[in-house]
Amino acid sequence: MFKKMFIAAALLAAAVSQAGAQEKAPFALDWKFEGPAAPYLIAIDKGYFGDEGLAVEISEGKGSLDAIPKVATGAFPFGLADINSLMRFLDQNPGAPVTAIMMIYDKPPFAVVGRKDMGIETPKDLEGKVLGAPPPDGAWAQFPIFAAENDLDMSKITVEPVGFPTREPMLAEGKVAAVTGYSFTSTLNVMRLGVPMEDQTVLLMSDYGVSLYGNAILVNTDYAAENPELVKGFVKAVAMGWKDAIADPAAAVKPLMSRNPAADEALETERLSLSIRDNVLTDWVKENGFGGIDADRMAKSIEQTKSVYEFVNEPDAALYFDSSYLPEEPFMLQ
């Protein structure tokens, strides 16, 4: 009897010791607890992060640029943010300890969402109209490239700075003719506010000449240098979360609903499904695996950024993406 109690106590002590050994790793999300956040919550609830020695706590974000300074200052070791905005941040803050290590949106969701009844059908239709754009929005950050690729006269477009909470309501109320945003965010939010999908025009920037990547996992490089195995474990857990989400999007949003009970479960399932279809599980990812980038395409995206942004320092892809924390055998999501 005593022996059994001793063994039980030893096992309990080992479990407590193992839990205590987990490294706290705050993760700065790009946006709210909506459909595309589900894979990271799955990784927490199913213990994928825990299995890698990480105690991950996820914080909501305020836009796809929001996480960059959080990670650069070391307040968060990990974040999710737009890699194109990261390029500009590092140009303006040379030597900042932050880089991308895992591509999430192989095809970015940057979009202009407009109303057909207000005359928005093509990019040119934006001229003479009011465009609502939140200043911290990743899609707005790339709008100059979209404008240049489609020969838009910016002097003919009235840009109305709007807040994220008011962006879709203003479009639904007809106060602006179009907004910049993520395709899976703005379209569904506007639909929920009474504008059917068939009455919306969705101009995906990637369909109109914008050859960029989207959001990526960021890491504080000082943290990564000290904890390389934990960083490798983090990206592994993220990949497992996305794989589960792809296998069953409806089940994937359950952890989301427990954090955001006011969310519409069906809507968030649709939002997650759209992000998987259009942004994550692309043809390139199906063939080459999840998380990496193509060097030639990255070079092209830098050149495209140079066409609308004057780099102070010579751009260097090695500063923006470090693939060394990804496995030699790529993550396959199906």
Side-chain angles (χ1 to χ4, degrees):
M1 181 69 177
F2 177 78
K3 185 176 182 181
K4 289 182 178 179
M5 291 176 62
F6 178 82
I7 293 172
L11 290 173
L12 178 62
V16 170
S17 175
Q18 184 177 8
Q22 288 187 349
E23 176 80 11
K24 288 185 178 180
F27 176 37
L29 206 59
D30 59 336
W31 190 232
K32 302 174 183 178
F33 287 144
E34 294 184 342
Y40 314 108
L41 302 176
I42 290 173
I44 290 177
D45 288 3
K46 287 194 173 183
Y48 297 153
F49 286 124
D51 289 345
E52 300 301 327
L54 293 163
V56 173
E57 181 176 340
I58 298 179
S59 297
E60 292 185 325
K62 298 179 180 178
S64 57
L65 289 68
D66 185 53
I68 299 173
K70 291 178 179 178
V71 177
T73 59
F76 289 78
F78 299 101
L80 180 65
D82 171 36
I83 194 170
N84 310 288
S85 300
L86 174 66
M87 292 182 195
R88 303 181 193 199
F89 178 87
L90 287 172
D91 185 56
Q92 296 160 16
N93 300 273
V98 56
T99 192
I101 55 171
M102 183 184 204
M103 185 55 59
I104 302 297
Y105 296 145
D106 180 64
K107 184 177 180 181
F110 308 137
V112 175
V113 179
R115 291 182 53 161
K116 292 180 180 178
D117 62 356
M118 296 186 72
I120 305 298
E121 297 274 0
T122 69
K124 269 293 183 182
D125 295 331
L126 294 169
E127 295 181 355
K129 304 294 195 310
V130 179
L131 174 69
D137 177 41
W140 170 242
Q142 311 314 325
F143 187 83
I145 297 175
F146 173 78
E149 290 293 325
N150 293 279
D151 195 29
L152 301 186
D153 186 343
M154 288 298 294
S155 69
K156 295 180 180 179
I157 301 174
T158 301
V159 178
E160 179 73 24
V162 299
F164 285 118
T166 60
R167 173 176 55 189
E168 287 86 12
M170 288 183 72
L171 181 59
E173 294 166 10
K175 293 180 180 178
V176 296
V179 296
T180 63
Y182 277 16
S183 55
F184 53 69
T185 297
S186 292
T187 52
L188 294 180
N189 289 352
V190 172
M191 181 183 72
R192 186 174 55 181
L193 292 170
V195 182
M197 290 292 290
E198 58 266 26
D199 294 337
Q200 299 181 42
T201 295
V202 182
L203 304 173
L204 274 170
M205 294 186 185
S206 58
D207 292 338
Y208 290 89
V210 179
S211 299
L212 301 177
Y213 281 103
N215 283 20
I217 298 293
L218 309 185
V219 73
N220 179 281
T221 53
D222 293 336
Y223 176 91
E226 295 174 3
N227 304 281
E229 295 307 312
L230 290 178
V231 175
K232 291 177 182 178
F234 187 92
V235 299
K236 178 183 176 182
V238 167
M240 292 173 69
W242 273 104
K243 187 170 184 176
D244 284 0
I246 289 168
D248 192 347
V253 300
K254 299 296 183 183
L256 178 77
M257 298 305 298
S258 67
R259 272 87 166 181
N260 185 7
D264 182 321
E265 188 168 346
L267 187 75
E268 297 312 326
T269 301
E270 177 66 13
R271 200 188 309 277
L272 173 60
S273 297
L274 287 175
S275 70
I276 292 169
R277 184 194 71 189
D278 295 337
N279 313 115
V280 177
L281 196 59
T282 63
D283 290 341
W284 190 90
V285 169
K286 289 177 183 177
E287 182 177 347
N288 298 280
F290 176 58
I293 61 172
D294 177 76
D296 290 340
R297 181 179 163 195
M298 187 63 173
K300 184 176 181 180
S301 72
I302 291 173
E303 288 303 310
Q304 199 163 56
T305 299
K306 287 171 67 175
S307 71
V308 295
Y309 172 78
E310 186 175 351
F311 281 89
V312 176
N313 304 288
E314 184 63 27
D316 180 359
L319 296 175
Y320 315 136
F321 194 90
D322 181 355
S323 63
S324 66
Y325 299 100
L326 296 172
E328 292 184 13
E329 190 71 25
F331 297 122
M332 305 309 292
L333 296 180
Q334 287 182 314

